Amino acid sequence: MHSVISPGDFVIDATCGNGQDTVFLAQLTGRQGKVMAFDIQAEAIEKTRQLLLKHQCLEQVILIEDSHANLGAYKPEKIKAAMFNLGYLPGGDHNIITSSNDTIAALKTIMDNLVLGGVVTIVGYPGYDAGQQELNEISKYLSGLTQKNFEIINIKAINQRNNPPQILVCSRINGGI
Ligand SMILES: C[S@@+](CC[C@H](N)C(=O)[O-])C[C@H]1O[C@@H](n2cnc3c(N)ncnc32)[C@H](O)[C@@H]1O
């Protein structure tokens, strides 16, 4: 993301959780840019707000307590980057997890509005059944995107025990808005 995001860019944190990724993105966009950060839990939005305040970068972030499935309603345009960190809120309720339907709905909006050279990262957790299924369904959707316009890579550690996280990296290489 360091090499993709420049000051002034518009980016999305689809799952802000405890706010680490939102702070990371806000530091890259700077105050000239904008980060739209989503989470369905009020607790996550508040934790993210506090972390942003601590790092003095709340100004460039729009915090949205809503599902990323509704992303289209917020009219995102010219997206340079988006991050998804799937699963549950660390230290929170482990029963509240992301779902492939919501993630794919958000991805569709993002892919339609991703600028040329823009990148989307998705970190998934195959260590539990629903996490593996979610990754499978997201991979199925992504593998259907035309290779002319998108390059999609799956990064997977092959010498680690206990099903480590996987990272899907999607780059727009042609077209875009
Ligand atoms: C692994 S955590 C994210 C960690 C976060 N990126 C960080 O840096 O701390 C996953 C988050 O996704 C949120 N979530 C689950 N379903 C969601 C949805 N449909 N829309 C937005 N957020 C969702 C959960 O509430 C949880 O906080």
Side-chain angles (χ1 to χ4, degrees):
M1 288 298 184
H2 281 108
S3 57
V4 173
I5 302 171
S6 305
D9 281 340
F10 173 67
V11 306
I12 290 174
D13 184 352
T15 55
C16 66
N18 288 322
Q20 311 281 354
D21 295 331
T22 316
V23 168
F24 168 72
L25 292 170
Q27 288 173 336
L28 292 175
T29 65
R31 290 194 181 150
Q32 312 97 297
K34 204 49 90 188
V35 183
M36 217 181 241
F38 288 82
D39 207 291
I40 47 173
Q41 297 190 65
E43 181 190 350
I45 294 290
E46 190 46 34
K47 282 186 168 165
T48 301
R49 186 192 313 281
Q50 293 306 328
L51 200 64
L52 288 162
L53 272 173
K54 189 174 159 197
H55 289 271
Q56 300 180 326
C57 46
L58 180 60
E59 192 181 308
Q60 61 263 44
V61 179
I62 306 167
L63 289 166
I64 301 173
E65 188 185 332
D66 194 359
S67 170
H68 46 229
N70 301 324
L71 211 148
Y74 299 90
K75 309 259 180 264
E77 281 177 7
K78 297 188 178 169
I79 301 169
K80 188 64 175 292
M83 292 178 75
F84 290 77
N85 190 344
L86 305 179
Y88 53 78
L89 178 66
D93 184 344
H94 289 197
N95 293 311
I96 303 175
I97 54 172
T98 51
S99 80
S100 55
N101 282 347
D102 288 347
T103 307
I104 292 168
L107 281 169
K108 285 181 176 166
T109 302
I110 291 170
M111 294 311 188
D112 284 348
N113 291 284
L114 195 63
V115 299
L116 184 62
V119 170
V120 180
T121 60
I122 304 156
V123 178
Y125 299 88
Y128 61 104
D129 287 349
Q132 178 66 72
Q133 199 181 339
E134 185 177 18
L135 267 172
N136 291 347
E137 285 166 27
I138 292 167
S139 300
K140 190 172 160 200
Y141 160 68
L142 292 174
S143 60
L145 296 179
T146 169
Q147 69 178 45
K148 182 174 170 234
N149 291 341
F150 295 99
E151 179 184 78
I152 299 170
I153 293 168
N154 186 355
I155 301 171
K156 180 177 170 181
I158 56 171
N159 67 334
Q160 282 184 23
R161 280 174 288 172
N162 301 326
N163 289 318
Q166 278 179 38
I167 308 173
L168 294 158
V169 182
C170 320
S171 310
R172 186 176 262 284
I173 54 170
N174 183 52
I177 55 164

